[in-house]
Amino acid sequence: MFTGIVEELGTVAAIEEQGDALRLSISAQTVLEGTGLGDSISVNGCCLTVTDVTDGTWTADVMAETLDKTSLAGARPGDRVNLERAVTPQTRLGGHIVQGHVDGVGEVLRRTPSEHWEVVEVSLPPHLAPYLVDKGSITVDGVSLTVVEAGDESFTVSLIPETLARTTLGSRAVGDRVNLEADIIAKHVEKLLQSGVHTRKQD
């Protein structure tokens, strides 16, 4: 589990194609502190398992399912990526509950700069629309953000200078693809309502 607060920008060091999978190596510093084999790190919002750590670089195997459903299929050496280690019981929950399980891929539609922030509009796969509400939470490339306006086909977020400077969202151009994860609480609520489960008051 993650919080959507990016710890550092890493760099894709190498990609080894393996047919229906690939081996991804990423250069980093902060996220390697205390990290061992089998630990989880979020890469642009995708939860990956550390399979090797060598001299400031860590490696993960990316399976076909992840390549089919996320933007990691288009990763190239030199790309910058958002990184976050999995939370611990002592971690501050600065964002919201993030699983690192991407629900869909959106596209940057528009960027509107202002003096102190930038409003970014992102396309929204239809199946995710029910989970977004104004002032609710959404994860974009692993970054926990507050929805400004939620529509049926797109949504907007307002990015502060800190987010623009410390994450890849500062450099995402119109047309770029981004990984999206909806709020897990909204998904559980929907499932409960659909199942007709009711709770009874205790006497």
Side-chain angles (χ1 to χ4, degrees):
M1 189 176 77
F2 307 92
T3 71
I5 303 299
V6 173
E7 293 188 278
E8 74 171 309
L9 283 168
T11 302
V12 176
I15 294 177
E16 180 185 341
E17 298 286 349
Q18 298 180 318
D20 61 348
L22 62 80
R23 181 159 292 170
L24 183 66
S25 296
I26 297 174
S27 297
Q29 293 182 348
T30 302
V31 298
L32 293 182
E33 296 174 4
T35 294
L37 302 185
D39 287 347
S40 296
I41 296 178
S42 170
V43 180
N44 283 353
C46 304
C47 178
L48 298 181
T49 301
V50 177
T51 59
D52 187 40
V53 178
T54 308
D55 297 329
T57 300
W58 65 280
T59 300
D61 292 315
V62 185
M63 299 295 100
E65 174 76 4
T66 302
L67 295 175
D68 288 342
K69 294 187 176 179
T70 76
S71 65
L72 288 185
R76 297 290 181 269
D79 285 355
R80 301 283 272 167
V81 288
N82 297 321
L83 302 177
E84 179 191 357
R85 289 169 292 186
V87 300
T88 67
Q90 294 78 33
T91 302
R92 292 179 184 273
L93 187 58
H96 69 284
I97 297 173
V98 176
Q99 293 183 296
H101 301 159
V102 174
D103 294 311
V105 176
E107 180 180 310
V108 177
L109 299 177
R110 187 178 294 106
R111 300 189 71 115
T112 307
S114 183
E115 183 179 0
H116 299 295
W117 65 86
E118 187 166 353
V119 176
V120 178
E121 182 179 4
V122 180
S123 68
L124 184 65
H127 70 280
L128 294 185
Y131 305 122
L132 268 68
V133 296
D134 295 357
K135 305 303 182 290
S137 296
I138 181 74
T139 307
V140 180
D141 267 358
V143 182
S144 173
L145 298 172
T146 298
V147 176
V148 174
E149 186 174 357
D152 292 332
E153 298 180 348
S154 67
F155 65 95
T156 58
V157 290
S158 184
L159 305 182
I160 62 173
E162 177 76 1
T163 304
L164 293 170
R166 291 178 57 86
T167 76
T168 60
L169 298 185
S171 59
R172 286 283 185 254
V174 172
D176 283 354
R177 301 170 77 235
V178 290
N179 295 319
L180 305 176
E181 180 183 334
D183 189 345
I184 183 62
I185 295 176
K187 289 185 279 189
H188 278 304
V189 170
E190 179 193 48
K191 181 68 177 293
L192 287 170
L193 291 174
Q194 289 179 344
S195 68
V197 172
H198 300 284
T199 57
R200 292 190 306 175
K201 284 186 176 181
Q202 295 290 329
D203 293 333

